[in-house]
Amino acid sequence: MQINRIIKTKENSVKLIFLSLIFISIYSCTEQKSKFTDAQVFRYNEHANISSLDPAFAKDQRNIWAVNQLFNGLVQLDDSLHIQPDIAKKWAISQDGKTYQFILRNDVKFHKHLLFGKDSTRLVTADDFEYSFERLLSKKVASPGGWVLQNVKNFKAENDSVFTINLKQAFPPFLGLLAMKYCSVVPKEAVDYFGNSFRANPIGTGAFQFKLWVENTKLVLRKNPLYFEKDSKGTKLPYLEAVAITFLPDKQSEYLQFIQGNIDFMKSLDASYKDDILNIDGTLKAKHLDKIRMQTGAYLNTEYLGIYLDENLKNPTQHLLIRQAINYGFDREKMIKFLRNGIGTPATSGFIPKGLPSFNNQKGYSYQPEKARALMAKYREETGDENPKITITTNANYLDLCEFIQRELQNIGLQTTVEVIPPSALRQAKSSGKLAVFRASWIADYPDAENYLSLFYSKNFIPNGPNYTHFKNQKFDALYEKSIKEINTEKRYQLYQKMDSILIKQAPIIPLYYDEVIRFSQKNIHNLGINPIDLLNLKRVKKS
């Protein structure tokens, strides 16, 4: 086993050297005036190969991070999740909340590109957004992001600099949807020229432009000299000359390369190395303090156990007393401390996670084993079921958490089995209602609590929506329908909190923890930033 590990590490080291040689050759052949050093290159690894550089397919983080460097939309989010101008320099919303009118900048250009035998570029106009939105909705394109415009009645380029969107009904989180990378602007002539291969020949407006992509091996982006944004001192962005992304699938190999200084940044935390880099309280180990910088912050991700609620399903979890007993029956703080080295916050305040403005730290479920035993006794008395049993289905990555819960629940008298299946099988079984209790997570697509509460709206039962639990509550539905029309922010947040209180009381889920963004970078990386949607934004990053 040790020999195999050494061989694997050597193979990965050879591969990394080979990739570095490829990258060096790329920019060493560039004209003298544009040469740059390795100190101006930001390097990171992506475990899964990027599947597309087309923003219409920016569905998951691996694609979103790369697309975010290449493309812009009407608006963008800052690290506090506030909506900021992007290509639209300002906008106005009608009093009824249905009409949005955007005024575009007149200095945004598409990347230089070699189409039709000539090297050219041009200014972005409102017509480009009209085309890009039509493309997002096109059945021929079949973008997974078409849903972001499902509430849009129509849109129109009024002239070169004015773009208007009309909604079917008011939807206050709409600007947050427009900040998603799906809504990026693309040039029609480039899409027409490249066709389906636009995914590997992206032309956008972003701070970096496409240079080279060897799939499963390396992606290289170069600084866009025509980029329109500047810093507070008037200096043009970005500061970096290039971004180099490798695709080593083994997380231990990635960690080794990071520790050796061969990559600049590492995201997330893996069980294979967490005890080497972190203390049990979640702080960086002393041996790394002089070389590594660690950043943590709230992440819009709630990890939970979902319960499929179907009256035809004969399972103890159909009973509220069992669901409440489970929620009271395990120690979330202990679980986070020992199994995640303190990374994460125990989910004792409902389903809406920390990091959202509507999170109000309301009282949810804490560890109360005696109360859990009392609820179990009451369940036995009411049902006559003297030996209730449940099965928690998970994938291998969360086995330790589920086994911890299993041991805790057995201590309150609930016989618990943990079943491990592959991630793809878990997703399929969860979607088809075949699992009584399943481990799941919900990462926000946009920064509004509606994104979380939509999981429990009865009209969103799978496969028509994300309601995997089949939770149905008339009061919840009425509050949800009222909230998505409420323009006043404070009133909308109050409605969200009332809905979250219903979820706490009815317990269709067992919240485990609110995740945290964790980023490790070399000490010579500056302005990396951190945000609750874990979006990587490199236009202001400096490397010294």
Side-chain angles (χ1 to χ4, degrees), residues 296-495:
T296 60
Y299 185 25
L300 299 190
N301 174 30
T302 299
E303 298 282 344
Y304 67 99
L305 298 181
I307 297 175
Y308 186 66
L309 299 173
D310 189 323
E311 56 188 17
N312 297 318
L313 185 67
K314 303 302 179 184
N315 193 284
T317 50
Q318 297 300 301
H319 204 292
L320 177 60
L321 292 173
I322 288 288
R323 301 198 300 271
Q324 290 176 333
I326 295 172
N327 268 299
Y328 284 120
F330 67 100
D331 191 338
R332 292 169 175 83
E333 292 187 6
K334 185 178 178 182
M335 179 179 71
I336 294 298
K337 181 177 181 180
F338 291 104
L339 298 182
R340 287 187 53 81
N341 289 63
I343 301 301
T345 303
T348 57
S349 303
F351 192 63
I352 297 174
K354 293 181 66 177
L356 281 175
S358 49
F359 176 82
N360 71 339
N361 204 29
Q362 59 185 318
K363 187 177 180 181
Y365 292 96
S366 57
Y367 182 47
Q368 300 184 49
E370 292 304 321
K371 189 168 187 176
R373 292 187 186 97
L375 289 166
M376 290 297 301
K378 188 175 181 181
Y379 167 81
R380 294 190 188 94
E381 182 182 341
E382 288 187 7
T383 65
D385 183 2
E386 290 298 324
N387 189 28
K389 299 177 182 178
I390 68 168
T391 297
I392 301 172
T393 306
T394 183
N395 60 41
N397 289 338
Y398 293 85
L399 177 59
D400 57 346
L401 294 177
C402 291
E403 287 181 337
F404 173 84
I405 295 169
Q406 176 189 35
R407 291 190 294 271
E408 296 271 277
L409 296 184
Q410 286 174 341
N411 290 334
I412 65 167
L414 181 58
Q415 295 302 308
T416 305
T417 301
V418 176
E419 180 184 18
V420 180
I421 61 177
S424 57
L426 179 62
R427 286 192 296 270
Q428 179 61 35
K430 180 180 69 172
S431 298
S432 56
K434 294 180 179 178
L435 304 177
V437 185
F438 52 87
R439 199 232 45 102
S441 61
W442 191 258
I443 302 173
D445 291 312
Y446 49 93
D448 191 279
E450 184 275 337
N451 196 206
Y452 288 86
L453 299 168
S454 65
L455 270 70
F456 305 99
Y457 182 48
S458 65
K459 292 183 181 179
N460 282 341
F461 279 7
I462 48 172
N464 299 319
N467 189 339
Y468 296 101
T469 63
H470 274 209
F471 175 74
K472 185 175 183 179
N473 181 281
Q474 288 186 345
K475 185 177 180 181
F476 183 96
D477 285 354
L479 290 168
Y480 179 82
E481 289 170 359
K482 187 177 179 180
S483 72
I484 61 175
K485 299 176 183 178
E486 179 56 66
I487 299 173
N488 182 283
T489 301
E490 291 304 317
K491 290 182 179 179
R492 191 167 78 254
Y493 288 172
Q494 290 173 10
L495 293 170

Side-chain angles (χ1 to χ4, degrees), residues 262-324:
N262 295 324
I263 55 178
D264 299 307
F265 162 76
M266 187 176 68
K267 62 178 180 179
S268 71
L269 187 70
D270 189 73
S272 63
Y273 58 75
K274 68 179 178 65
D275 292 328
D276 182 71
I277 196 168
L278 294 183
N279 297 307
I280 198 169
D281 63 354
T283 56
L284 197 62
K285 286 202 169 181
K287 64 180 180 179
H288 298 302
L289 288 174
D290 61 334
K291 294 181 180 179
I292 296 174
R293 180 180 290 110
M294 183 179 78
Q295 296 171 280
T296 60
Y299 185 25
L300 299 190
N301 174 30
T302 299
E303 298 282 344
Y304 67 99
L305 298 181
I307 297 175
Y308 186 66
L309 299 173
D310 189 323
E311 56 188 17
N312 297 318
L313 185 67
K314 303 302 179 184
N315 193 284
T317 50
Q318 297 300 301
H319 204 292
L320 177 60
L321 292 173
I322 288 288
R323 301 198 300 271
Q324 290 176 333

